[in-house]
Amino acid sequence: MLSISKLCTRNGACARQARSAACFSTSTSHREPKKVVVIGSGLMGAGIAQVSATSGHLVTLVDINDALLEKAKAGIHANIKRSFKKKFEADPAALEKFAADSIGRLSSSTNAEGAVSDSDFVIEAIVENIKVKQDLFSRLDKAASSKTIFASNTSSLPISDIAAATARKDRFGGLHFFNPVPVMKLVEVIKTPQTSDLAFNSLLEFGKSVGKHTVTCKDTPGFVVNRLLVPYMMEAVRMLERSDATKEDIDAAMKLGAGYPMGPFELLDYVGLDTAKFIIDGWHKAYPEEQLFQPSKLLDGLVASGKTGRKSGEGFYNYKETK
């Protein structure tokens, strides 16, 4: 699942994308390369694999079939050349070499157990389903070396619950990247009560090694960003339900009064109402007395009718009319 917070800085991120290469390090000599296995070749997994490879790490990208992996690798190669074009504009040959060297550090596999056998880090970026993640890590736990540190890129599920399926709870944490990974500078590093200091510090160091600003957080619902962002969006929905203000005025108020690049309803439509519902329903089930996590009949009704936002053509706003 894509991070619901990916578009907090949508306008700024898009405007900066062409010059974002200057934020990336192309030096691979200051840190020892790690063997990194990324499970899942979707947008998040491919992005994590890309920043790891361009930072000098040895990466294995894992998915269920070769077609998905080849598509991801082709996209990564193109993204590297596009992202670093300005940095190497005076030397196109150096750009080609940098891209080739980065891709040379990226391999792929459909055998997850085999890929993790001698890895330093395993980062999971698959479907946001607790049972699927637990099953995956349970299998990988038996195949990975005792030195291997596991991490999930989940944006909303408790790290402790995922780690419970393994015998390495002390070597398990969260690495929550933001989409698009090569552009967004933040990674949340999550420490559970069982995560050892050694494993946690290793995850922090890894996040910094791929050029990210790391923030630390306990294993709390939504960590930092989504814990603040999701209730904010849900409160906007409740304001609409109470007829406190129109959705248009709420969006305008937050853009013009708070300086946000998008209003809460625009953001909900962009990331998907079904995604927001999935997160708030999960939190409500775990913490039924928490008022901030109460579900919304309006949101539930829109999702039930297939109105999930931009991807369906209609959510809080109708995008079919603008085509």
PDB file of all heavy atoms in Angstrom, residues 25-55:
ATOM      1  N   SER A  25      23.756  11.329  -2.611  1.00  0.00           N
ATOM      2  CA  SER A  25      25.192  11.116  -2.640  1.00  0.00           C
ATOM      3  C   SER A  25      25.535  10.097  -3.711  1.00  0.00           C
ATOM      4  O   SER A  25      24.876   9.090  -3.845  1.00  0.00           O
ATOM      5  CB  SER A  25      25.672  10.614  -1.272  1.00  0.00           C
ATOM      6  OG  SER A  25      27.015  10.200  -1.352  1.00  0.00           O
ATOM      7  N   THR A  26      26.566  10.387  -4.485  1.00  0.00           N
ATOM      8  CA  THR A  26      27.033   9.420  -5.475  1.00  0.00           C
ATOM      9  C   THR A  26      28.339   8.785  -5.019  1.00  0.00           C
ATOM     10  O   THR A  26      28.960   8.048  -5.754  1.00  0.00           O
ATOM     11  CB  THR A  26      27.248  10.110  -6.837  1.00  0.00           C
ATOM     12  OG1 THR A  26      28.178  11.170  -6.674  1.00  0.00           O
ATOM     13  CG2 THR A  26      25.943  10.652  -7.378  1.00  0.00           C
ATOM     14  N   SER A  27      28.741   9.087  -3.789  1.00  0.00           N
ATOM     15  CA  SER A  27      29.951   8.483  -3.246  1.00  0.00           C
ATOM     16  C   SER A  27      29.601   7.203  -2.508  1.00  0.00           C
ATOM     17  O   SER A  27      28.678   7.177  -1.720  1.00  0.00           O
ATOM     18  CB  SER A  27      30.634   9.454  -2.268  1.00  0.00           C
ATOM     19  OG  SER A  27      31.700   8.806  -1.600  1.00  0.00           O
ATOM     20  N   THR A  28      30.336   6.135  -2.792  1.00  0.00           N
ATOM     21  CA  THR A  28      30.064   4.852  -2.145  1.00  0.00           C
ATOM     22  C   THR A  28      31.233   4.400  -1.285  1.00  0.00           C
ATOM     23  O   THR A  28      31.276   3.263  -0.847  1.00  0.00           O
ATOM     24  CB  THR A  28      29.773   3.781  -3.208  1.00  0.00           C
ATOM     25  OG1 THR A  28      30.945   3.638  -4.040  1.00  0.00           O
ATOM     26  CG2 THR A  28      28.589   4.161  -4.060  1.00  0.00           C
ATOM     27  N   SER A  29      32.186   5.300  -1.030  1.00  0.00           N
ATOM     28  CA  SER A  29      33.404   4.882  -0.349  1.00  0.00           C
ATOM     29  C   SER A  29      33.384   5.130   1.156  1.00  0.00           C
ATOM     30  O   SER A  29      34.203   4.581   1.874  1.00  0.00           O
ATOM     31  CB  SER A  29      34.604   5.619  -0.953  1.00  0.00           C
ATOM     32  OG  SER A  29      34.460   7.014  -0.782  1.00  0.00           O
ATOM     33  N   HIS A  30      32.433   5.963   1.661  1.00  0.00           N
ATOM     34  CA  HIS A  30      32.487   6.351   3.059  1.00  0.00           C
ATOM     35  C   HIS A  30      31.797   5.347   3.971  1.00  0.00           C
ATOM     36  O   HIS A  30      31.946   5.430   5.183  1.00  0.00           O
ATOM     37  CB  HIS A  30      31.874   7.739   3.240  1.00  0.00           C
ATOM     38  CG  HIS A  30      30.441   7.831   2.831  1.00  0.00           C
ATOM     39  ND1 HIS A  30      30.019   7.614   1.546  1.00  0.00           N
ATOM     40  CD2 HIS A  30      29.329   8.119   3.568  1.00  0.00           C
ATOM     41  CE1 HIS A  30      28.706   7.773   1.483  1.00  0.00           C
ATOM     42  NE2 HIS A  30      28.272   8.066   2.688  1.00  0.00           N
ATOM     43  N   ARG A  31      31.036   4.407   3.441  1.00  0.00           N
ATOM     44  CA  ARG A  31      30.384   3.403   4.257  1.00  0.00           C
ATOM     45  C   ARG A  31      30.555   2.035   3.620  1.00  0.00           C
ATOM     46  O   ARG A  31      30.606   1.906   2.400  1.00  0.00           O
ATOM     47  CB  ARG A  31      28.889   3.704   4.401  1.00  0.00           C
ATOM     48  CG  ARG A  31      28.562   4.914   5.269  1.00  0.00           C
ATOM     49  CD  ARG A  31      27.063   5.042   5.445  1.00  0.00           C
ATOM     50  NE  ARG A  31      26.705   6.122   6.348  1.00  0.00           N
ATOM     51  CZ  ARG A  31      26.399   7.338   5.947  1.00  0.00           C
ATOM     52  NH1 ARG A  31      26.426   7.631   4.673  1.00  0.00           N
ATOM     53  NH2 ARG A  31      26.068   8.267   6.826  1.00  0.00           N
ATOM     54  N   GLU A  32      30.618   1.032   4.449  1.00  0.00           N
ATOM     55  CA  GLU A  32      30.717  -0.331   3.942  1.00  0.00           C
ATOM     56  C   GLU A  32      29.389  -0.715   3.286  1.00  0.00           C
ATOM     57  O   GLU A  32      28.334  -0.596   3.913  1.00  0.00           O
ATOM     58  CB  GLU A  32      31.015  -1.288   5.087  1.00  0.00           C
ATOM     59  CG  GLU A  32      31.086  -2.742   4.663  1.00  0.00           C
ATOM     60  CD  GLU A  32      31.222  -3.675   5.847  1.00  0.00           C
ATOM     61  OE1 GLU A  32      31.380  -3.170   6.971  1.00  0.00           O
ATOM     62  OE2 GLU A  32      31.160  -4.891   5.637  1.00  0.00           O
ATOM     63  N   PRO A  33      29.420  -1.175   2.044  1.00  0.00           N
ATOM     64  CA  PRO A  33      28.171  -1.586   1.379  1.00  0.00           C
ATOM     65  C   PRO A  33      27.520  -2.740   2.138  1.00  0.00           C
ATOM     66  O   PRO A  33      28.192  -3.641   2.632  1.00  0.00           O
ATOM     67  CB  PRO A  33      28.639  -2.029  -0.008  1.00  0.00           C
ATOM     68  CG  PRO A  33      29.964  -1.380  -0.202  1.00  0.00           C
ATOM     69  CD  PRO A  33      30.579  -1.303   1.163  1.00  0.00           C
ATOM     70  N   LYS A  34      26.217  -2.680   2.244  1.00  0.00           N
ATOM     71  CA  LYS A  34      25.462  -3.743   2.888  1.00  0.00           C
ATOM     72  C   LYS A  34      24.718  -4.563   1.846  1.00  0.00           C
ATOM     73  O   LYS A  34      24.406  -4.079   0.753  1.00  0.00           O
ATOM     74  CB  LYS A  34      24.460  -3.155   3.889  1.00  0.00           C
ATOM     75  CG  LYS A  34      25.090  -2.365   5.015  1.00  0.00           C
ATOM     76  CD  LYS A  34      25.971  -3.223   5.899  1.00  0.00           C
ATOM     77  CE  LYS A  34      26.525  -2.438   7.077  1.00  0.00           C
ATOM     78  NZ  LYS A  34      27.396  -3.262   7.940  1.00  0.00           N
ATOM     79  N   LYS A  35      24.431  -5.793   2.199  1.00  0.00           N
ATOM     80  CA  LYS A  35      23.610  -6.647   1.340  1.00  0.00           C
ATOM     81  C   LYS A  35      22.156  -6.453   1.756  1.00  0.00           C
ATOM     82  O   LYS A  35      21.758  -6.847   2.848  1.00  0.00           O
ATOM     83  CB  LYS A  35      24.028  -8.108   1.481  1.00  0.00           C
ATOM     84  CG  LYS A  35      25.447  -8.391   0.999  1.00  0.00           C
ATOM     85  CD  LYS A  35      25.820  -9.856   1.208  1.00  0.00           C
ATOM     86  CE  LYS A  35      27.243 -10.124   0.744  1.00  0.00           C
ATOM     87  NZ  LYS A  35      27.644 -11.544   0.985  1.00  0.00           N
ATOM     88  N   VAL A  36      21.405  -5.833   0.865  1.00  0.00           N
ATOM     89  CA  VAL A  36      20.040  -5.439   1.171  1.00  0.00           C
ATOM     90  C   VAL A  36      19.072  -6.216   0.281  1.00  0.00           C
ATOM     91  O   VAL A  36      19.213  -6.219  -0.944  1.00  0.00           O
ATOM     92  CB  VAL A  36      19.834  -3.923   0.946  1.00  0.00           C
ATOM     93  CG1 VAL A  36      18.411  -3.511   1.306  1.00  0.00           C
ATOM     94  CG2 VAL A  36      20.861  -3.123   1.746  1.00  0.00           C
ATOM     95  N   VAL A  37      18.098  -6.858   0.888  1.00  0.00           N
ATOM     96  CA  VAL A  37      17.046  -7.544   0.142  1.00  0.00           C
ATOM     97  C   VAL A  37      15.753  -6.754   0.316  1.00  0.00           C
ATOM     98  O   VAL A  37      15.333  -6.474   1.441  1.00  0.00           O
ATOM     99  CB  VAL A  37      16.858  -8.992   0.629  1.00  0.00           C
ATOM    100  CG1 VAL A  37      15.693  -9.653  -0.113  1.00  0.00           C
ATOM    101  CG2 VAL A  37      18.134  -9.796   0.422  1.00  0.00           C
ATOM    102  N   VAL A  38      15.141  -6.383  -0.802  1.00  0.00           N
ATOM    103  CA  VAL A  38      13.875  -5.664  -0.779  1.00  0.00           C
ATOM    104  C   VAL A  38      12.799  -6.597  -1.312  1.00  0.00           C
ATOM    105  O   VAL A  38      12.883  -7.077  -2.443  1.00  0.00           O
ATOM    106  CB  VAL A  38      13.942  -4.374  -1.627  1.00  0.00           C
ATOM    107  CG1 VAL A  38      12.591  -3.646  -1.588  1.00  0.00           C
ATOM    108  CG2 VAL A  38      15.061  -3.463  -1.130  1.00  0.00           C
ATOM    109  N   ILE A  39      11.795  -6.871  -0.508  1.00  0.00           N
ATOM    110  CA  ILE A  39      10.703  -7.758  -0.897  1.00  0.00           C
ATOM    111  C   ILE A  39       9.539  -6.917  -1.402  1.00  0.00           C
ATOM    112  O   ILE A  39       8.957  -6.138  -0.661  1.00  0.00           O
ATOM    113  CB  ILE A  39      10.229  -8.632   0.277  1.00  0.00           C
ATOM    114  CG1 ILE A  39      11.409  -9.298   0.982  1.00  0.00           C
ATOM    115  CG2 ILE A  39       9.218  -9.654  -0.209  1.00  0.00           C
ATOM    116  CD1 ILE A  39      12.103 -10.370   0.193  1.00  0.00           C
ATOM    117  N   GLY A  40       9.224  -7.077  -2.700  1.00  0.00           N
ATOM    118  CA  GLY A  40       8.152  -6.299  -3.311  1.00  0.00           C
ATOM    119  C   GLY A  40       8.716  -5.282  -4.277  1.00  0.00           C
ATOM    120  O   GLY A  40       9.505  -4.416  -3.874  1.00  0.00           O
ATOM    121  N   SER A  41       8.329  -5.386  -5.551  1.00  0.00           N
ATOM    122  CA  SER A  41       8.908  -4.508  -6.578  1.00  0.00           C
ATOM    123  C   SER A  41       7.942  -3.439  -7.063  1.00  0.00           C
ATOM    124  O   SER A  41       8.095  -2.903  -8.148  1.00  0.00           O
ATOM    125  CB  SER A  41       9.374  -5.346  -7.778  1.00  0.00           C
ATOM    126  OG  SER A  41       8.272  -5.962  -8.428  1.00  0.00           O
ATOM    127  N   GLY A  42       6.929  -3.129  -6.246  1.00  0.00           N
ATOM    128  CA  GLY A  42       6.011  -2.045  -6.593  1.00  0.00           C
ATOM    129  C   GLY A  42       6.673  -0.692  -6.431  1.00  0.00           C
ATOM    130  O   GLY A  42       7.907  -0.589  -6.324  1.00  0.00           O
ATOM    131  N   LEU A  43       5.874   0.365  -6.370  1.00  0.00           N
ATOM    132  CA  LEU A  43       6.422   1.719  -6.293  1.00  0.00           C
ATOM    133  C   LEU A  43       7.355   1.890  -5.096  1.00  0.00           C
ATOM    134  O   LEU A  43       8.458   2.428  -5.220  1.00  0.00           O
ATOM    135  CB  LEU A  43       5.285   2.736  -6.205  1.00  0.00           C
ATOM    136  CG  LEU A  43       4.535   3.049  -7.499  1.00  0.00           C
ATOM    137  CD1 LEU A  43       3.349   3.953  -7.202  1.00  0.00           C
ATOM    138  CD2 LEU A  43       5.460   3.696  -8.515  1.00  0.00           C
ATOM    139  N   MET A  44       6.918   1.426  -3.936  1.00  0.00           N
ATOM    140  CA  MET A  44       7.738   1.609  -2.745  1.00  0.00           C
ATOM    141  C   MET A  44       8.971   0.719  -2.778  1.00  0.00           C
ATOM    142  O   MET A  44      10.093   1.169  -2.518  1.00  0.00           O
ATOM    143  CB  MET A  44       6.919   1.320  -1.486  1.00  0.00           C
ATOM    144  CG  MET A  44       5.781   2.293  -1.256  1.00  0.00           C
ATOM    145  SD  MET A  44       6.306   4.026  -1.175  1.00  0.00           S
ATOM    146  CE  MET A  44       7.317   4.010   0.293  1.00  0.00           C
ATOM    147  N   GLY A  45       8.782  -0.557  -3.090  1.00  0.00           N
ATOM    148  CA  GLY A  45       9.920  -1.475  -3.124  1.00  0.00           C
ATOM    149  C   GLY A  45      10.960  -1.069  -4.144  1.00  0.00           C
ATOM    150  O   GLY A  45      12.172  -1.083  -3.858  1.00  0.00           O
ATOM    151  N   ALA A  46      10.502  -0.696  -5.345  1.00  0.00           N
ATOM    152  CA  ALA A  46      11.437  -0.266  -6.390  1.00  0.00           C
ATOM    153  C   ALA A  46      12.168   0.997  -5.971  1.00  0.00           C
ATOM    154  O   ALA A  46      13.371   1.157  -6.222  1.00  0.00           O
ATOM    155  CB  ALA A  46      10.692  -0.043  -7.699  1.00  0.00           C
ATOM    156  N   GLY A  47      11.463   1.912  -5.308  1.00  0.00           N
ATOM    157  CA  GLY A  47      12.106   3.140  -4.846  1.00  0.00           C
ATOM    158  C   GLY A  47      13.159   2.875  -3.795  1.00  0.00           C
ATOM    159  O   GLY A  47      14.247   3.463  -3.815  1.00  0.00           O
ATOM    160  N   ILE A  48      12.860   1.978  -2.855  1.00  0.00           N
ATOM    161  CA  ILE A  48      13.830   1.626  -1.819  1.00  0.00           C
ATOM    162  C   ILE A  48      15.046   0.950  -2.443  1.00  0.00           C
ATOM    163  O   ILE A  48      16.197   1.223  -2.080  1.00  0.00           O
ATOM    164  CB  ILE A  48      13.179   0.718  -0.759  1.00  0.00           C
ATOM    165  CG1 ILE A  48      12.068   1.473  -0.025  1.00  0.00           C
ATOM    166  CG2 ILE A  48      14.221   0.213   0.235  1.00  0.00           C
ATOM    167  CD1 ILE A  48      11.164   0.586   0.822  1.00  0.00           C
ATOM    168  N   ALA A  49      14.796   0.054  -3.410  1.00  0.00           N
ATOM    169  CA  ALA A  49      15.899  -0.613  -4.103  1.00  0.00           C
ATOM    170  C   ALA A  49      16.759   0.403  -4.848  1.00  0.00           C
ATOM    171  O   ALA A  49      17.993   0.315  -4.853  1.00  0.00           O
ATOM    172  CB  ALA A  49      15.349  -1.654  -5.070  1.00  0.00           C
ATOM    173  N   GLN A  50      16.115   1.399  -5.466  1.00  0.00           N
ATOM    174  CA  GLN A  50      16.860   2.406  -6.228  1.00  0.00           C
ATOM    175  C   GLN A  50      17.795   3.217  -5.338  1.00  0.00           C
ATOM    176  O   GLN A  50      18.990   3.349  -5.639  1.00  0.00           O
ATOM    177  CB  GLN A  50      15.893   3.352  -6.946  1.00  0.00           C
ATOM    178  CG  GLN A  50      16.599   4.470  -7.702  1.00  0.00           C
ATOM    179  CD  GLN A  50      15.640   5.396  -8.429  1.00  0.00           C
ATOM    180  OE1 GLN A  50      14.621   4.946  -8.941  1.00  0.00           O
ATOM    181  NE2 GLN A  50      15.953   6.682  -8.477  1.00  0.00           N
ATOM    182  N   VAL A  51      17.270   3.765  -4.236  1.00  0.00           N
ATOM    183  CA  VAL A  51      18.131   4.607  -3.393  1.00  0.00           C
ATOM    184  C   VAL A  51      19.218   3.780  -2.715  1.00  0.00           C
ATOM    185  O   VAL A  51      20.304   4.290  -2.428  1.00  0.00           O
ATOM    186  CB  VAL A  51      17.309   5.406  -2.360  1.00  0.00           C
ATOM    187  CG1 VAL A  51      16.343   6.351  -3.058  1.00  0.00           C
ATOM    188  CG2 VAL A  51      16.565   4.487  -1.392  1.00  0.00           C
ATOM    189  N   SER A  52      18.934   2.507  -2.480  1.00  0.00           N
ATOM    190  CA  SER A  52      19.953   1.644  -1.885  1.00  0.00           C
ATOM    191  C   SER A  52      21.078   1.382  -2.875  1.00  0.00           C
ATOM    192  O   SER A  52      22.266   1.454  -2.530  1.00  0.00           O
ATOM    193  CB  SER A  52      19.321   0.322  -1.436  1.00  0.00           C
ATOM    194  OG  SER A  52      18.319   0.532  -0.458  1.00  0.00           O
ATOM    195  N   ALA A  53      20.727   1.100  -4.121  1.00  0.00           N
ATOM    196  CA  ALA A  53      21.733   0.804  -5.139  1.00  0.00           C
ATOM    197  C   ALA A  53      22.556   2.040  -5.487  1.00  0.00           C
ATOM    198  O   ALA A  53      23.781   1.960  -5.644  1.00  0.00           O
ATOM    199  CB  ALA A  53      21.062   0.242  -6.395  1.00  0.00           C
ATOM    200  N   THR A  54      21.906   3.195  -5.609  1.00  0.00           N
ATOM    201  CA  THR A  54      22.648   4.411  -5.956  1.00  0.00           C
ATOM    202  C   THR A  54      23.530   4.876  -4.808  1.00  0.00           C
ATOM    203  O   THR A  54      24.448   5.674  -5.011  1.00  0.00           O
ATOM    204  CB  THR A  54      21.705   5.559  -6.375  1.00  0.00           C
ATOM    205  OG1 THR A  54      20.759   5.806  -5.325  1.00  0.00           O
ATOM    206  CG2 THR A  54      20.970   5.225  -7.664  1.00  0.00           C
ATOM    207  N   SER A  55      23.276   4.368  -3.596  1.00  0.00           N
ATOM    208  CA  SER A  55      24.101   4.713  -2.440  1.00  0.00           C
ATOM    209  C   SER A  55      25.230   3.719  -2.218  1.00  0.00           C
ATOM    210  O   SER A  55      25.979   3.845  -1.252  1.00  0.00           O
ATOM    211  CB  SER A  55      23.232   4.781  -1.178  1.00  0.00           C
ATOM    212  OG  SER A  55      22.221   5.746  -1.318  1.00  0.00           O
TER     213      SER A  55
END
